Amino acid sequence: MAKIMLASDYQEGAHPRIVERLVETNLLATPGYGTDAFSAAAREKIRAACHCPEAEVHFLIGGTQTNATVIDALLHSYEGVIAASSGHISVHEAGAIEFGGHKVLTLPHHFGKINASDLAVYCEENLHDGNREHMVIPGLVYISQPTEYGTLYSRAELTAIHDVCQRYQLPLYVDGARLAYALACPANDTMLADLATLTDAFYIGGTKCGALLGEAVVFPQGGRVPHFFTIIKQHGALLAKGRLLGLQFDTLFTDDLYLHIGQNAITAANRLRAAFTAHGYALAFDSPTNQIFLTLTADEKEKLDTVVESSFWEAPDTDHTIVRLATSWATPLDKVEQLIAALD
Amino acid sequence: MAKIMLASDYQEGAHPRIVERLVETNLLATPGYGTDAFSAAAREKIRAACHCPEAEVHFLIGGTQTNATVIDALLHSYEGVIAASSGHISVHEAGAIEFGGHKVLTLPHHFGKINASDLAVYCEENLHDGNREHMVIPGLVYISQPTEYGTLYSRAELTAIHDVCQRYQLPLYVDGARLAYALACPANDTMLADLATLTDAFYIGGTKCGALLGEAVVFPQGGRVPHFFTIIKQHGALLAKGRLLGLQFDTLFTDDLYLHIGQNAITAANRLRAAFTAHGYALAFDSPTNQIFLTLTADEKEKLDTVVESSFWEAPDTDHTIVRLATSWATPLDKVEQLIAALD
Amino acid sequence: MAKIMLASDYQEGAHPRIVERLVETNLLATPGYGTDAFSAAAREKIRAACHCPEAEVHFLIGGTQTNATVIDALLHSYEGVIAASSGHISVHEAGAIEFGGHKVLTLPHHFGKINASDLAVYCEENLHDGNREHMVIPGLVYISQPTEYGTLYSRAELTAIHDVCQRYQLPLYVDGARLAYALACPANDTMLADLATLTDAFYIGGTKCGALLGEAVVFPQGGRVPHFFTIIKQHGALLAKGRLLGLQFDTLFTDDLYLHIGQNAITAANRLRAAFTAHGYALAFDSPTNQIFLTLTADEKEKLDTVVESSFWEAPDTDHTIVRLATSWATPLDKVEQLIAALD
Amino acid sequence: MAKIMLASDYQEGAHPRIVERLVETNLLATPGYGTDAFSAAAREKIRAACHCPEAEVHFLIGGTQTNATVIDALLHSYEGVIAASSGHISVHEAGAIEFGGHKVLTLPHHFGKINASDLAVYCEENLHDGNREHMVIPGLVYISQPTEYGTLYSRAELTAIHDVCQRYQLPLYVDGARLAYALACPANDTMLADLATLTDAFYIGGTKCGALLGEAVVFPQGGRVPHFFTIIKQHGALLAKGRLLGLQFDTLFTDDLYLHIGQNAITAANRLRAAFTAHGYALAFDSPTNQIFLTLTADEKEKLDTVVESSFWEAPDTDHTIVRLATSWATPLDKVEQLIAALD
């Protein structure tokens, strides 16, 4: 049996409908830099899906790039961005935020999430007290939905964070690299329209959610960031053949594809979590979306390595390893069943 | 008759062979970030095409991004990059080089080119004289082949620039966004192997030369820039699904496709230059590659605008406009003939 | 005879009244970072001297630092600063502006000055035309008074530049490193109150005008730059013992000392210009302030080098050298006369 | 009784010998930017005091500026600096390190200190493991001596840290803003020559240790950072009248003044620690140098506030406040005794 590849959720190409349309439109000549008709249509569909007709929508290429560009655009030069200590921008972006001149100010994470009360305490100390003029001024809050731990902010939690942000006049930005896996998750109650209502900016992930590449940045309030086009260019984040991004998001937002594309991943992940648990494997922590975290003994790891490609997460002690398995819109369910069978 | 679209050379999708292979490989699961087999194969083919088995090859996404990343990687923090005043990095990258902390030090251009003697004078004044410690220290020379004016550096000119660089211990970097249009041009005598011999880094343009997106950075001397992978990530320039770049360059370097893909553009451009001249239109300056620059009266412009989509270049005086027409690997030759017919 | 030292105007310590007060106050304990009473008093006196009771005044240490901090504070991250090609920030600040992420956009200079009509053309092309979204957006105009060539903007010229800035909503910033030498110059008609009326920010130079160190930044409109204190700190430009700056500017603005401190320099420079001309030496160009530029043959240079320490400016051709002589508030007039006598 | 001012150790001017020499030399004309004879003499004396004849010595103005400049000079663009979470660069420099593009990577602190074993674990995980290419690469270790908590690294501790640095090829940099208070402390066994042996760079603090302003950067290995002069200029950290720094350090290193100048502060601090303890006040933690940290009840704080100016450190709970008292070379011992008397 060939190993099932679950090391990440960006291993396959694109959803078949996207590939079909790439083929159909390949030799059309369109203007560059996102001024094409596909991009315009995609923007319109995203606005509709977010119930936010005034939103400004831009297409960028990848997650780190999007975070660096949006965060730099939303901050003043002397401000930093608040994030969970486990946030992607805190740990896994090679210092892209600092490259733009900004400090990442970390809060403790609770399985990938920050909570509103920690945030309120931090803001009170850092924005309302005196004596902080020698410190970096917080200028933005960054969270991920789902988080890097596969966990979800409920609508109530997101609202509570939003309320703290409003109280301290801090913009809120949501990294939705895996947003489709939240939207397809039964446990989720945070919809696109909620993000549009509760945040100053968020991005709808394409790369990990059915596209070859691409992330759609949404500013619910149009005109929120003057000259954002030039800022994208300055960050090397402007795609010449922008139609490639427009066409993909147009497809993802046709017939609500984006709202459903994550279901296969959730089905597969739920099957796997149940099967691992039934077979005595320990979940490192619970997560409702497409990422599964297992705490393995050396023997368990050796066995699993023969049947599934996972990724290393961390070593909690010398006897155990935590690995991550990520399912996707493209994970073959028959291979999932073969893997489960191999656990016996 | 539908207008022929010659506003730029990044208007169409990708060469049909690329699209075919994207379709074929779409659901394969591959590891991310350029560690896949397509990327490995593409690197090997590029090394062979450059006659440079030791070269290090990386795939990035677009030109501005590639320039910003490579230039930042090659410079010390206190150094600047020498470029023609008309260079892409000087004018059309929205300050991406300065965003990385570096000044662009400009030399006068001669239809897009710098020459070795100007460069030598500049280096002598700025690197060998005293009294320059308060000024930006030049740390790199940037040129484009072909240039933004469609002109070419001959092998002799490139060698002369290389020799000055060697004398002053300055690395030399070549922006090959349109390199395929140089390689397909009968007037060109600078081959890939010459670039590998005469430069410290260059990039082979994909976006404008048959790919959906992508540029291949070549460091002829492997290990020239330690941790370049992390530098790419830090610049937001690392594509998660790196196989998309690898597969495209693998295709472009199979059966020498890249060496020939520009021929259609050169054929079309030569036909157009001859026809415009024959019809009394004035070339703003001569250029042997895929870009054509016309100095038009208001009447001429009005007429041309009805049959061809061009791009504005500059207004030399109040009565004239210079426009640019760019052909590409995908320009339909029958439409070129229709355009020429419409000049009568 | 000992050579007279005219290589620069920052060769001596501080005006004697400053030194006296440093001695008197040395062991007083004061709070740090400019929150002391000397700094408060100095701010008040500067506001009065500028006829601008609402002005916000900050004390920084040196010119390059002040320019980098103020310019970074006034620009958005994607904007550049317009300056003369001869401007200090363009040439002699080792890329400090670019280190902060901003491009210096140069206009041709006319003996150190830009003019309003060149500026208007540039703004029209770069701010009102389309098609500039890939270029750096101008966000500020920088000029020096006096300029690096020792020349002066008349009130009418400054007003014309101000008017263009208003038309294009560009802030205007004046580098007054040598401002005392303008204010003491009979040809000058631009007063402190004019700078307060016509600019968004300017700095009153201390280092070259009688202080040991220090520059006073004036924002005529208080609150113009939120969190400027933190921005100063972020740029490493905050002096712990801020009273050292406050006390010096308090002294310089007591009894109008700053308005007169440059007179000695102007007297000396005028004597020298007249004497050099009378002895057949060629002024490279005329300048009414404390800097004198001579175009010397090799013989003349050899002779002058024995009696005066000057600084190299540039070599217009292989037979000539342009040198600069700078007088100051401290230049001994008897030594000036000795130098003149030696010209015979 | 006037309150004794112990809010910081940068409240007074300069040591009287420095002031004397400023007066004596005030009207001497010297060349700028540290090329004067005072600076040359000071460099020579510092080399001798460090037993390091090959050392390169530069004079900068303040601590944040020095840290930002040296750290930027020692790091590659993609590297970060390891520091204690309590380090000055981590917390109190308004993001100056991030402004230069670098992340501060924090280790837990033990009363201001990092320890070698934590550092070794961090290095092993971050430099030797795979899978870290998406993270910031550590490129330097920063520590303070004394620390921000007034504690000291013993020679053995510093050697252990140095050994880890050597093992992982990481440079080591020591912030000596208060170094004189370490050198004057009986508990200290880390001498200037040890710093020269065990580090790649350190700075000898002037601002808090008897100078009006100024910090002396020592690179024990000459030529360690090419073009450091230009880097200083680029960071806005070059003082035009460099003689002001040179003369101060020349004075501080004449007759070993710097080695003794901190004794008054240590005497005063020891008297205060003993007296506070005897009177039942709680030290928040012990520290052997010139900083004293008291955990106060509201009543105690109210009482102390009437007799001494202290600075707020933190509020460990709602009932207590930790305050810091800092003595200095200039603290009047009679006022210290008056304060102690007032505790009765």
Side-chain angles (χ1 to χ4, degrees), chain C residues 11 13-14 26 30 211 241 243, chain D residues 11 13-14 26 30 207 211 241 243:
Chain C
Q11 299 181 119
N26 186 50
T30 60
K241 298 185 179 173
R243 50 93 69 77
Chain D
Q11 300 181 117
N26 186 51
T30 59
T207 301
K241 297 185 180 173
R243 48 89 76 74

Side-chain angles (χ1 to χ4, degrees), chain B:
Chain B
M1 177 191 120
K3 273 201 267 205
I4 182 167
M5 305 280 279
L6 299 176
S8 79
D9 37 20
Y10 41 87
Q11 300 182 120
E12 293 88 5
H15 190 278
R17 282 193 226 164
I18 286 176
V19 175
E20 272 168 41
R21 292 192 69 197
L22 282 177
V23 172
E24 285 165 21
T25 62
N26 186 49
L27 289 178
L28 272 179
T30 59
Y33 303 115
T35 61
D36 61 283
F38 300 117
S39 296
R43 284 188 198 100
E44 204 48 58
K45 285 174 182 153
I46 288 173
R47 285 187 201 104
C50 296
H51 301 188
C52 190
E54 303 304 318
E56 191 174 318
V57 181
H58 296 266
F59 301 112
L60 281 79
I61 297 161
T64 293
Q65 177 186 91
T66 299
N67 287 334
T69 305
V70 172
I71 289 170
D72 196 47
L74 287 171
L75 290 180
H76 290 100
S77 65
Y78 54 88
E79 293 175 332
V81 53
I82 298 173
S85 60
S86 57
H88 204 257
I89 60 167
S90 309
V91 188
H92 286 109
E93 301 194 350
I97 305 303
E98 291 82 4
F99 181 70
H102 303 289
K103 193 179 188 77
V104 181
L105 303 160
T106 53
L107 292 182
H109 77 93
H110 309 278
F111 299 111
K113 299 197 283 182
I114 59 171
N115 66 41
S117 57
D118 288 351
L119 178 63
V121 168
Y122 186 88
C123 290
E124 190 61 26
E125 284 179 355
N126 285 281
L127 285 166
H128 277 197
D129 278 12
N131 200 32
R132 297 280 164 159
E133 291 182 310
H134 292 237
M135 298 173 72
V136 174
I137 298 172
L140 179 68
V141 175
Y142 162 96
I143 60 175
S144 308
Q145 172 80 333
T147 70
E148 295 75 11
Y149 281 67
T151 51
L152 291 172
Y153 288 93
S154 70
R155 192 158 171 268
E157 289 169 331
L158 186 63
T159 302
I161 289 172
H162 162 266
D163 291 350
V164 175
C165 288
Q166 291 291 104
R167 188 148 78 245
Y168 293 96
Q169 297 184 289
L170 281 176
L172 176 60
Y173 166 58
V174 175
D175 176 335
R178 294 188 169 94
L179 192 57
Y181 303 115
L183 297 176
C185 183
N188 177 62
D189 67 351
T190 309
M191 303 302 154
L192 284 171
D194 297 317
L195 292 172
T197 306
L198 296 171
T199 79
D200 294 81
F202 62 100
Y203 86 80
I204 299 171
T207 302
K208 293 171 177 164
C209 302
L212 285 170
L213 78 170
E215 324 295 332
V217 174
V218 181
F219 295 110
Q221 176 193 345
R224 177 68 176 76
V225 178
H227 297 295
F228 191 64
F229 184 94
T230 298
I231 296 172
I232 296 172
K233 180 72 181 173
Q234 180 196 34
H235 284 73
L238 188 64
L239 194 63
K241 299 184 180 174
R243 50 90 74 75
L244 174 60
L245 301 171
L247 182 133
Q248 292 185 95
F249 276 98
D250 184 65
T251 307
L252 288 170
F253 279 85
T254 297
D255 298 337
D256 288 343
L257 174 58
Y258 195 82
L259 303 184
H260 308 303
I261 198 170
Q263 279 174 352
N264 180 73
I266 301 300
T267 301
N270 284 342
R271 276 291 290 142
L272 286 166
R273 272 186 288 259
F276 280 118
T277 306
H279 284 79
Y281 288 83
L283 294 179
F285 47 87
D286 202 13
S287 57
T289 59
N290 72 316
Q291 300 187 79
I292 303 154
F293 299 86
L294 299 172
T295 305
L296 302 176
T297 63
D299 284 352
E300 289 171 338
K301 181 157 191 315
E302 193 178 353
K303 178 171 179 193
L304 272 197
D305 282 351
T306 62
V307 288
V308 59
E309 183 130 336
S310 63
S311 64
F312 173 79
W313 187 254
E314 66 180 36
D317 57 52
T318 51
D319 294 333
H320 294 84
T321 304
I322 300 180
V323 299
R324 186 195 69 171
L325 280 59
T327 59
S328 83
W329 58 274
T331 302
L333 294 181
D334 56 341
K335 289 205 168 178
V336 169
E337 296 305 324
Q338 285 173 27
L339 166 58
I340 290 170
L343 297 180
D344 289 326

Side-chain angles (χ1 to χ4, degrees), chain D residues 101-148:
Chain D
H102 303 289
K103 193 180 188 77
V104 181
L105 303 160
T106 54
L107 292 182
H109 78 92
H110 309 278
F111 299 111
K113 299 197 284 184
I114 60 169
N115 65 42
S117 56
D118 288 352
L119 178 63
V121 168
Y122 186 89
C123 290
E124 190 61 26
E125 283 179 356
N126 285 281
L127 285 165
H128 276 196
D129 278 11
N131 200 29
R132 298 277 165 160
E133 291 182 311
H134 291 237
M135 298 172 71
V136 174
I137 298 172
L140 179 69
V141 175
Y142 163 96
I143 60 175
S144 309
Q145 172 81 331
T147 69
E148 294 75 12

Side-chain angles (χ1 to χ4, degrees), chain D residues 259-293:
Chain D
L259 303 184
H260 308 303
I261 198 169
Q263 280 174 353
N264 179 75
I266 301 300
T267 301
N270 285 343
R271 277 290 290 142
L272 286 166
R273 272 186 287 258
F276 280 118
T277 307
H279 284 80
Y281 288 82
L283 295 178
F285 48 84
D286 203 14
S287 57
T289 59
N290 72 316
Q291 299 188 80
I292 303 155
F293 299 86

Side-chain angles (χ1 to χ4, degrees), chain A residues 11 27 41 87 105 135 210 249 297 312:
Chain A
Q11 299 181 118
L27 289 178
L105 304 160
M135 297 172 72
F249 276 98
T297 62
F312 173 79

Side-chain angles (χ1 to χ4, degrees), chain A residues 106-278:
Chain A
T106 55
L107 291 181
H109 78 93
H110 309 278
F111 298 111
K113 298 197 284 184
I114 60 170
N115 66 42
S117 57
D118 288 351
L119 179 63
V121 169
Y122 187 89
C123 291
E124 190 62 26
E125 284 179 355
N126 284 282
L127 284 166
H128 277 197
D129 279 11
N131 200 30
R132 297 278 165 159
E133 291 182 311
H134 292 236
M135 297 172 72
V136 174
I137 298 172
L140 179 68
V141 175
Y142 162 97
I143 60 175
S144 308
Q145 171 80 333
T147 69
E148 294 75 10
Y149 281 68
T151 52
L152 291 172
Y153 288 93
S154 70
R155 193 159 170 268
E157 290 170 332
L158 186 63
T159 303
I161 289 171
H162 162 266
D163 291 350
V164 175
C165 288
Q166 290 291 104
R167 189 148 76 246
Y168 294 94
Q169 297 183 289
L170 282 176
L172 176 61
Y173 165 58
V174 175
D175 176 335
R178 294 187 170 96
L179 192 57
Y181 302 116
L183 297 175
C185 183
N188 178 61
D189 69 349
T190 308
M191 303 302 154
L192 283 172
D194 298 317
L195 292 171
T197 305
L198 296 171
T199 78
D200 293 81
F202 62 100
Y203 85 79
I204 301 170
T207 301
K208 293 171 178 166
C209 303
L212 285 171
L213 77 169
E215 323 295 331
V217 173
V218 181
F219 294 110
Q221 178 193 343
R224 177 70 176 75
V225 178
H227 297 297
F228 191 64
F229 183 93
T230 298
I231 296 172
I232 296 173
K233 179 73 181 174
Q234 181 196 33
H235 284 73
L238 188 64
L239 194 63
K241 298 185 179 173
R243 48 89 75 75
L244 174 61
L245 301 172
L247 183 134
Q248 291 186 94
F249 276 98
D250 184 64
T251 307
L252 288 170
F253 280 85
T254 296
D255 299 335
D256 289 343
L257 174 58
Y258 194 83
L259 304 183
H260 308 303
I261 198 170
Q263 279 174 352
N264 179 74
I266 301 300
T267 302
N270 285 343
R271 276 290 292 140
L272 286 167
R273 271 186 288 260
F276 280 118
T277 307

Side-chain angles (χ1 to χ4, degrees), chain C residues 158-190:
Chain C
L158 187 63
T159 303
I161 289 172
H162 162 265
D163 291 349
V164 175
C165 288
Q166 291 292 104
R167 188 148 77 246
Y168 293 95
Q169 297 184 288
L170 281 177
L172 175 61
Y173 166 58
V174 174
D175 176 335
R178 296 188 168 94
L179 192 58
Y181 302 115
L183 297 176
C185 183
N188 178 61
D189 68 350
T190 308

